[in-house]
Amino acid sequence: GEKLSRALLQWFSTQQRDLPWRRTRDPYAVWISEIMLQQTRVAAVIPYYERFIARFPGFQALALAPESELLAHWAGLGYYYRARNLRKAAQIVNQAGNFPKTHTAIRELPGIGDYTAAAISSISFDLPHAVLDGNVFRVLSRLFADPTNIASLKGRRHFSALAQELLDNSHPGTFNQAVMELGATVCLPKNPQCLVCPIGEWCRVRKTGTQLTFPVKMVPRKSVQESRSLFWIERDGQVLAWQRPANSRLMPGFFELPEREHLPDTIPSTKLGSFRHGITFHNYRFDLWTAALPASSRSCDWINLSEIHKLPVSTVFKKAARLASKVQRPGATA
């Protein structure tokens, strides 16, 4: 354990990527980066993170921010409940006057699960809590040639105990980051770079050449296909849209294009085209139609096309706007 840890930390000190959130141990910055990285690739997160920290540099700025501005800074990262939980947690921390310093108290903040609590408590406060994410599962299951199913609750508990056992308690934050970095840059899912692996001499699958059979993940799940129609109704540089209510479970406060349920009497006229959009295991095909101005549009609002980039609009809306702009003004770029 000690030799493996030394080799891994030595590698991390020279080979780690220079990422903006690694230049600080401030729990606020670590927390924001971890929440952003939950469902999004590192390269995509960097510009969002930098813009977000510039606009909301600490708990107070985030706690006092209007929700629409927060959502506009989050737009494109998806899974918007994350942004709302960030704001709720910032308000709790702001009232308390400082960030909680124990793993249990950090874990109690809205939107913070086991992984994020372990990351913040180890990186910011040197507390000995091992992180467990997809990268760590892969590194551990390969290192020990462990066939436990990572998609089961039993498997999670098993690997959590293993990660905790392996953790270097004298440098928990650095060690956690080093294991994740190894999984992200060397111990890759399809093409592991075993020749440059700093802990290869301890790795059981490397000896047997069975890298690609680990980790073992068994998830029964079918994908769902669905077709839907959207209306693109434009006048005087404005487009008709509806806003999700503030208490909506999905993406509250976001603007969407109307469908038949919002404008029941509207007859579609010209089909502008179609595009696909995937959300978890739902695959949607959206058809985009123009239509005459409805007699009543009570459930909708007119929004300026020039303002779209400033408003919280869904990714589906953005894809539709790009399609409409190409079809109606050929050669135009959205």
Side-chain angles (χ1 to χ4, degrees):
E2 207 176 299
K3 282 183 180 166
L4 179 150
S5 176
R6 221 176 15 246
L8 183 61
L9 293 173
Q10 173 61 42
W11 168 83
F12 184 64
S13 69
T14 59
Q15 300 301 315
Q16 63 171 297
R17 292 167 295 176
D18 178 24
L19 303 172
W21 47 87
R22 286 206 178 135
R23 298 171 203 154
T24 175
R25 292 180 60 191
D26 172 19
Y28 175 77
V30 173
W31 170 54
I32 299 295
S33 71
E34 290 298 349
I35 300 294
M36 285 187 171
L37 288 163
Q38 275 170 12
Q39 310 278 357
T40 316
R41 289 186 353 274
V42 167
V45 164
I46 292 172
Y48 279 100
Y49 170 83
E50 290 181 327
R51 272 201 302 273
F52 196 93
I53 293 285
R55 170 57 191 87
F56 311 111
F59 298 106
Q60 196 174 10
L62 184 52
L64 304 175
E67 183 165 280
S68 59
E69 199 176 340
L70 168 66
L71 292 174
H73 272 75
W74 197 270
L77 282 168
Y79 302 92
Y80 293 94
Y81 62 87
R82 294 186 293 165
R84 291 199 312 286
N85 278 332
L86 276 179
R87 188 153 157 270
K88 274 187 217 153
Q91 287 165 346
I92 293 168
V93 171
N94 197 38
Q95 271 178 322
N98 60 4
F99 199 83
K101 291 183 171 56
T102 68
H103 180 269
T104 312
I106 293 170
R107 176 76 180 75
E108 281 168 3
L109 288 172
I112 292 189
D114 294 335
Y115 165 78
T116 310
I120 299 168
S121 59
S122 66
I123 294 167
S124 297
F125 303 115
D126 275 329
L127 298 173
H129 293 275
V131 294
L132 195 59
D133 71 348
N135 287 317
V136 180
F137 273 130
R138 195 164 54 254
V139 170
L140 293 179
S141 67
R142 285 176 175 168
L143 185 62
F144 298 107
D146 191 321
T148 310
N149 176 16
I150 66 168
S152 68
L153 185 60
K154 195 174 148 210
R156 289 191 71 81
R157 287 191 184 130
H158 167 76
F159 280 110
S160 179
L162 202 53
Q164 197 59 43
E165 215 176 295
L166 199 65
L167 183 68
D168 182 335
N169 288 345
S170 52
H171 310 90
T174 314
F175 187 86
N176 275 334
Q177 291 183 84
V179 178
M180 292 191 285
E181 186 76 345
L182 188 71
T185 61
V186 174
C187 195
L188 302 168
K190 294 199 172 76
N191 188 18
Q193 311 290 301
C194 298
L195 293 176
V196 296
C197 180
I199 59 171
E201 64 184 277
W202 294 276
C203 180
R204 290 187 191 161
V205 299
R206 185 169 167 182
K207 294 183 177 70
T208 52
T210 51
Q211 291 88 327
L212 298 186
T213 53
F214 294 91
V216 174
K217 184 177 187 179
M218 293 174 283
V219 189
R221 184 170 277 178
K222 290 202 287 282
S223 83
V224 182
Q225 313 288 330
E226 196 180 317
S227 290
R228 286 162 62 177
S229 293
L230 303 171
F231 290 125
W232 184 266
I233 301 173
E234 200 182 312
R235 67 155 198 214
D236 307 330
Q238 296 180 308
V239 66
L240 207 52
W242 64 281
Q243 190 171 23
R244 289 181 181 270
N247 60 356
S248 165
R249 197 172 58 81
L250 290 171
M251 298 168 62
F254 271 67
F255 285 98
E256 302 279 6
L257 289 176
E259 297 180 55
R260 174 56 56 78
E261 64 189 272
H262 307 103
L263 303 171
D265 306 325
T266 302
I267 311 291
S269 53
T270 309
K271 185 172 168 184
L272 296 176
S274 304
F275 59 91
R276 294 189 177 281
H277 184 67
I279 302 172
T280 58
F281 49 100
H282 267 82
N283 292 315
Y284 293 100
R285 193 188 84 160
F286 288 98
D287 295 330
L288 188 61
W289 294 85
T290 60
L293 290 184
S296 153
S297 57
R298 276 196 311 275
S299 60
C300 297
D301 300 303
W302 289 101
I303 63 174
N304 289 324
L305 286 168
S306 59
E307 300 279 296
I308 285 181
H309 66 287
K310 292 186 197 154
L311 294 169
V313 298
S314 70
T315 305
V316 169
F317 194 138
K318 285 180 184 166
K319 286 182 177 178
R322 279 201 290 272
L323 177 61
S325 127
K326 267 190 209 141
V327 175
Q328 294 176 336
R329 297 180 285 286
T333 53

